[in-house]
Amino acid sequence: MTSVKLHDTWTPSSWQRLLAGQQPNWTDPGDLERTLLALAAQPPLVFAGEARSLQQSLADVSRGEAFLLQGGDCAETFAGFSADAIRDKLKILLQMAVVLTYGAQLPVVKVGRIAGQFAKPRSSDVETRGDRKLPAYRGDAVNDLAFSEEAREPDPARLERVYHQSAATLNLLRAFTRGGFADLEKVHLWNQEFVRDSRQGQRYAAVADEITRALRFLRACGVDVANDPTFHTVELWTSHEALLLDYEEALTRRDSLTGDWYDCSAHMLWIGERTRDPDGAHVHFLSGVGNPIGVKLGPTATGDEVEALASRLNPTNEPGRLTLITRMGAQDAPERLPGLVRDVTQRGLAVVWSCDPMHGNTFVSETGYKTRRFTDVLDELRTFFGVHTQEGTTPGGVHIELTGEDVTECLGGAQEIIDAQLSHRYETACDPRLNNKQSLELAFLLAEMLRR
Ligand code: PEP
Ligand code: CO
């Protein structure tokens, strides 16, 4: 069957006819079935119209008229769920966005890896510690991080917990972004106490002062700052890797306005490096929903593969529908990225180019922690901007694993975190994230790259 024919017969469950990698071995199919039925009866988390608005904003990004900032945890967890944690994740994204907007004088499209990022693809099905082998941790959506037989058993009831935690997270985010917290007049309050005295914190405070002065200036000129919502609310979109297709299917709904299908678990969904087979189930599933879609591209990605992906995911070549998230690693990017960008451009494919400088730069440190060097992250970003400038294409955005907390998971940055310090606050359930100060520092460096 050709993919076009398959697409003609697309339904939310037609992916089940294809090979789906990275799916859990649920022990009891009956349990899974009951959970999925319950989820299918729940209200959607987002609306189709919102996904369409995001796609419009991403079309702006593709033309170089806006910049995409996508970021958040590698994996959200049930244990890490609290109002404070959500607020702090929002704060750092807002701070970075302000630094970028102010520094690069471009609107920033803010997309969180949040309110649904609970499932992880794994390189190996098993984890070995000493002489014990257990099923790998696949994210809180599937099993538990603790290293025991019982914890690693996949449990479908977790999918319902994911839904409810995502709903509560999104509810708070909507309240924060609409209810005054994200007000530009509060720009100083997003600077966390433990950051204020650092160089990044002071630099941020200087930007915040400038913004406060600019707002006063506008008011003095007669602009009705108090009543213009532009100054008091922000749009924060949600995204996660669409990995567990049963879950995504259960939250897929037909839009009553257009009759089109949307995956209402998040505004934007992406396909990971391990599941981007153009003929696989993940690509097929997402080909049928109207949301904007991202695809991760590692160092082996080719123009032919991208064309095959685009022909399925974006056959009408709509700007903003498809975001290519390159994650080649600082070492491979200079060699791999220019050819790929040229090839995709020559094929006339409308895409947003984004850079994930995290997933190609992971290694295990001497003290045994999975980590990343801040300098490698920067190197890959510099290559990304350099290549797109050279090729005459648009470096549209970044995709970062970060947290609002003061963790010690990535090496370097202005705090110069060293290997021996990783153990102080290593809290991630999966990959190492930039901490608050490293993220802010990155935003300032990114703003410089964007200005150039
Ligand atoms: C991720 O984004 O957490 C991830 C697993 O990325 P990738 O698919 O690029 O490896
Ligand atoms: Co990750």
Side-chain angles (χ1 to χ4, degrees):
M1 202 185 277
T2 69
S3 62
V4 176
K5 265 207 183 131
L6 195 57
H7 190 264
D8 283 347
T9 59
W10 188 95
T11 68
S13 63
S14 55
W15 64 270
Q16 295 182 15
R17 288 182 260 154
L18 300 170
L19 199 66
Q22 298 282 344
Q23 304 305 290
N25 290 316
W26 305 105
T27 355
D28 180 346
D31 267 358
L32 176 66
E33 210 45 50
R34 276 185 294 280
T35 300
L36 296 176
L37 280 173
L39 282 173
Q42 295 289 330
L45 294 176
V46 305
F47 291 107
E50 295 179 304
R52 282 192 289 273
S53 298
L54 171 57
Q55 183 162 322
Q56 284 314 308
S57 297
L58 290 170
D60 295 343
V61 171
S62 74
R63 288 189 295 270
E65 290 163 13
F67 189 74
L68 166 65
L69 171 66
Q70 188 171 16
D73 290 315
C74 180
E76 290 175 273
T77 61
F78 298 155
F81 179 46
S82 72
D84 287 357
I86 296 166
R87 183 200 58 209
D88 293 347
K89 287 180 220 187
L90 176 63
K91 271 187 184 174
I92 186 62
L93 283 173
L94 291 176
Q95 282 190 289
M96 291 177 80
V98 154
V99 168
L100 288 168
T101 310
Y102 193 79
Q105 309 274 295
L106 266 180
V108 173
V109 181
K110 298 168 272 297
V111 182
R113 284 176 66 114
I114 200 165
Q117 175 53 25
F118 291 90
K120 300 310 300 172
R122 301 319 302 252
S123 304
S124 170
D125 284 340
V126 291
E127 183 181 342
T128 312
R129 288 194 199 171
D131 50 12
R132 284 188 80 198
K133 262 192 176 54
L134 288 176
Y137 170 64
R138 291 186 172 273
D140 276 13
V142 177
N143 56 9
D144 194 276
L145 185 58
F147 196 70
S148 73
E149 198 81 53
E150 196 192 1
R152 293 295 169 90
E153 182 80 19
D155 177 5
R158 290 173 163 270
L159 295 175
E160 277 190 88
R161 198 158 166 200
V162 162
Y163 170 83
H164 290 292
Q165 185 166 320
S166 299
T169 301
L170 190 51
N171 179 56
L172 195 59
L173 288 173
R174 288 188 195 275
F176 279 145
T177 52
R178 297 289 138 106
F181 182 81
D183 196 316
L184 262 188
E185 299 190 275
K186 305 240 163 70
V187 71
H188 275 286
L189 298 181
W190 306 338
N191 219 359
Q192 296 213 54
E193 223 161 279
F194 64 84
V195 183
R196 269 178 216 155
D197 293 333
S198 69
R199 200 160 55 82
Q200 300 78 39
Q202 288 170 359
R203 216 171 151 191
Y204 177 80
V207 171
D209 282 342
E210 292 282 318
I211 291 170
T212 305
R213 279 165 52 82
L215 288 175
R216 268 193 228 126
F217 171 74
L218 287 176
R219 227 178 275 118
C221 293
V223 175
D224 189 3
V225 171
N227 291 309
D228 185 337
T230 326
F231 300 111
H232 309 293
T233 62
V234 299
E235 260 166 342
L236 177 80
W237 310 101
T238 61
S239 71
H240 61 259
E241 178 172 351
L243 185 72
L244 302 179
L245 294 178
D246 283 312
Y247 178 83
E248 302 304 334
E249 176 190 333
L251 286 170
T252 295
R253 308 293 152 79
R254 206 189 263 279
D255 171 30
S256 55
L257 285 178
T258 61
D260 295 334
W261 292 99
Y262 282 82
D263 182 345
C264 297
S265 69
H267 299 111
M268 179 182 184
L269 287 313
W270 79 84
I271 304 173
E273 164 71 1
R274 293 163 191 79
T275 50
R276 62 174 168 81
D277 174 1
D279 297 317
H282 291 82
V283 171
H284 175 72
F285 173 74
L286 288 171
S287 74
V289 297
N291 312 60
I293 304 299
V295 182
K296 295 284 202 85
L297 296 175
T300 62
T302 64
D304 283 346
E305 282 171 356
V306 174
E307 181 153 5
L309 287 164
S311 73
R312 288 156 177 76
L313 293 169
N314 193 16
T316 51
N317 217 21
E318 279 171 59
R321 157 76 173 169
L322 183 59
T323 298
L324 301 180
I325 308 164
T326 55
R327 35 84 89 216
M328 313 232 151
Q331 203 164 12
D332 287 348
E335 203 189 312
R336 309 295 312 189
L337 190 60
L340 185 69
V341 170
R342 208 169 304 147
D343 198 343
V344 170
T345 308
Q346 276 164 1
R347 292 171 202 245
L349 302 174
V351 298
V352 168
W353 289 103
S354 178
C355 176
D356 165 358
M358 314 301 291
H359 287 90
N361 294 312
T362 318
F363 66 99
V364 177
S365 79
E366 273 171 29
T367 58
Y369 286 93
K370 202 194 215 190
T371 189
R372 291 159 176 158
R373 285 189 201 93
F374 190 75
T375 48
D376 290 340
V377 169
L378 271 189
D379 269 0
E380 185 163 353
L381 286 171
R382 288 210 176 93
T383 300
F384 174 76
F385 279 92
V387 166
H388 285 289
T389 306
Q390 193 145 21
E391 298 300 325
T393 41
T394 303
V398 293
H399 183 116
I400 312 281
E401 284 183 344
L402 55 82
T403 172
E405 313 296 313
D406 205 12
V407 299
T408 54
E409 298 171 4
C410 291
L411 298 168
Q415 295 160 276
E416 295 179 10
I417 294 175
I418 58 170
D419 194 354
Q421 292 167 325
L422 291 178
S423 61
H424 292 182
R425 271 195 77 179
Y426 194 94
E427 296 175 4
T428 182
C430 194
D431 290 337
R433 304 158 295 177
L434 297 183
N435 68 23
N436 191 303
K437 288 177 198 154
Q438 289 168 327
S439 303
L440 205 47
E441 187 177 356
L442 186 80
F444 280 110
L445 293 164
L446 266 174
E448 277 167 27
M449 292 181 215
L450 266 169
R451 261 200 302 267
R452 264 190 244 121

